[in-house]
Amino acid sequence: MVREWDPLTASSAEIASLLDTLNAVLAADLPQDPPWRASSLREYLSEVMPGERRISWVAEGDPTADGTPGPMLGHVNVLLLGGMGVLEVLVRPELRRTGLGRELVRVAARRVWDEGFQSIGVEVVGDTPAVAFYEALGFTREYVETRSVLDLGTVEWPALAEMATEVGAGYHVEFCPGGPPDDLIEAYARAKAEVRDVDDGELRPSSYDPQRLRESLDTLHRRGMKPYIVLALHEQTGEVAGLTEVVVPAQHPTRADQYDTIVVRDHRGYGIDRAIKARMLLELRSAEPELAEVQTWNAQANEAMLKVNAELGYRPDRDWCEYSVDVAELVHRLDNQR
Ligand SMILES: CC(C)(COP(=O)(O)OP(=O)(O)OC[C@H]1O[C@@H](n2cnc3c(N)ncnc32)[C@H](O)[C@@H]1OP(=O)(O)O)[C@@H](O)C(=O)NCCC(=O)NCCS
């Protein structure tokens, strides 16, 4: 049975069951990734940016004779933002190829259609069954990035400490745990707005105006995701010349996510990219003693960024693809396949 499900009011047993499903999926599809923890999982699933909505459903086995709900078999949620729905689907590995994934997508797609949205997008991890699944459902590949992972155990810390200082004269590098200080929010947003194409995390949410940026930081905190920022400030103008953002999620605090790294055009060629990323790793080492790895996503074409990441010790892991489909076509296709 598939039913709509609200993580905010769900019982602790249901949240635990979702966690178990997620970790079974990770163990099957991404065995090198750390399992998730229950910390702030409810908030992770329920908190969204202002103006966005996430709708979730679960598939459960039959209830027992005494009315205890059956075990969770699968989960789907769709985040409604802009004109599109962003989909996430999980089916327990032992239950795959029985049509459950298709049924979960059908239920979510029908709602996205009813709500008047045009398209559905999904992140698909390369070399997993999800590729064949979404292609069978008519999704097309829009964009591919490479995920790379840095094992902090392999980092040569003295060399990194050196790198962190190798920034051109006239720049000041600053570590900002929690987010940029309030008096720098405007300059920070300007830097992000100027360089939309050179960022590390095309698939991650980005915010380009001060209000949106504040909301985005606030949402991260509410979801149990701790942002860390290193800024390069241009001393003469006070402008943010470069920034790098890492988020440590309470759900998997041993592996952090590298979000945007930006060096504003006029300030390129002064070693800022390398220096701010090196400084970030040095700071994280003491701020997050549990942290063992950092993962990042790059467009294949972004050679400069890939070169710096390779120097820091990041190793390419796998493709990370963005797929999309027209909602009307998807609903039609899935209704016909029932
Ligand atoms: C992708 C996923 C949802 C598919 O669920 P499922 O219940 O196995 O899918 P279905 O049984 O509904 O499959 C529908 C169709 O997709 C295609 N398909 C699904 N899995 C496939 C596979 N492993 N190989 C080839 N085709 C596949 C087939 O055409 C299938 O139809 P068929 O079985 O009649 O041939 C499931 O594998 C899953 O949960 N993956 C994890 C996804 C994820 O988000 N992971 C994130 C962390 S890795």
Side-chain angles (χ1 to χ4, degrees):
M1 184 192 76
V2 177
R3 67 172 170 97
E4 198 169 329
W5 181 75
D6 182 357
L8 199 60
T9 54
S11 67
S12 307
E14 286 173 349
I15 297 285
S17 190
L18 181 90
L19 179 64
D20 188 61
T21 303
L22 174 62
N23 282 334
V25 164
L26 281 174
D29 292 352
L30 286 171
Q32 310 299 326
D33 281 38
W36 282 41
R37 302 177 185 178
S39 338
S40 299
L41 184 57
R42 185 189 296 280
E43 292 75 14
Y44 179 86
L45 295 166
S46 52
E47 294 290 346
V48 292
M49 289 277 283
E52 296 177 359
R53 262 186 312 146
R54 184 183 285 109
I55 311 173
S56 306
W57 294 261
V58 289
E60 288 170 334
D62 293 333
T64 56
D66 67 357
T68 311
M72 192 176 294
L73 313 176
H75 168 76
V76 59
N77 74 70
V78 64
L79 180 68
L80 299 173
L81 72 163
M84 76 182 312
V86 179
L87 193 67
E88 287 177 334
V89 186
L90 300 172
V91 171
R92 291 195 68 94
E94 66 276 18
L95 299 168
R96 291 182 181 171
R97 297 305 288 271
T98 61
L100 182 54
R102 188 190 271 121
E103 176 60 12
L104 289 168
V105 174
R106 197 186 62 75
V107 171
R110 168 56 68 181
R111 174 65 74 85
V112 175
W113 168 250
D114 288 346
E115 299 267 355
F117 288 80
Q118 307 291 306
S119 64
I120 290 186
V122 63
E123 268 183 30
V124 179
V125 183
D127 289 329
T128 70
V131 175
F133 172 71
Y134 287 108
E135 289 181 356
L137 266 49
F139 285 68
T140 52
R141 187 180 288 206
E142 301 289 344
Y143 194 75
V144 186
E145 290 193 322
T146 303
R147 182 178 75 167
S148 304
V149 180
L150 172 65
D151 174 353
L152 295 182
T154 67
V155 170
E156 290 177 23
W157 296 101
L160 200 78
E162 187 91 348
M163 239 186 236
T165 62
E166 288 168 355
V167 62
Y171 294 98
H172 166 72
V173 176
E174 201 168 305
F175 174 57
C176 312
D182 217 48
D183 58 330
L184 283 176
I185 287 266
E186 306 237 336
Y188 192 90
R190 268 198 300 282
K192 290 193 74 143
E194 204 222 73
V195 198
R196 290 179 188 211
D197 54 343
V198 186
D199 75 24
D200 244 5
E202 308 277 6
L203 300 172
R204 315 285 105 201
S206 266
S207 300
Y208 305 117
D209 72 81
Q211 181 55 21
R212 198 73 183 147
L213 186 59
R214 281 195 186 92
E215 288 169 355
S216 160
L217 287 161
D218 190 46
T219 308
L220 279 176
H221 284 289
R222 281 187 281 111
R223 297 182 82 199
M225 302 161 85
K226 209 188 299 174
Y228 289 94
I229 284 160
V230 172
L231 295 175
L233 292 167
H234 185 228
E235 286 164 357
Q236 205 184 339
T237 58
E239 284 298 305
V240 170
L243 61 95
T244 189
E245 309 168 328
V246 168
V247 168
V248 180
Q251 300 81 18
H252 52 89
T254 61
R255 186 184 283 199
D257 298 323
Q258 168 84 57
Y259 280 30
D260 285 356
T261 296
I262 286 169
V263 180
V264 173
R265 257 175 215 99
D266 286 350
H267 302 287
R268 294 194 189 153
Y270 298 99
I272 291 176
D273 184 5
R274 192 179 276 102
I276 57 181
K277 281 185 169 164
R279 172 74 180 272
M280 175 66 88
L281 294 173
L282 290 164
E283 296 285 358
L284 286 174
R285 195 182 183 205
S286 39
E288 293 284 341
E290 259 200 284
L291 191 65
E293 296 167 312
V294 182
Q295 57 187 357
T296 186
W297 290 261
N298 291 101
Q300 304 271 1
N302 198 344
E303 284 173 25
M305 195 78 80
L306 287 170
K307 186 165 169 279
V308 170
N309 285 348
E311 252 179 73
L312 292 167
Y314 280 90
R315 297 280 162 265
D317 176 40
R318 41 173 100 210
D319 285 348
W320 220 263
C321 316
E322 217 172 60
Y323 277 73
S324 74
V325 72
D326 178 78
V327 181
E329 273 173 34
L330 180 64
V331 168
H332 186 67
R333 178 190 295 259
L334 291 172
D335 280 348
N336 283 343
Q337 286 177 357
R338 286 189 92 185

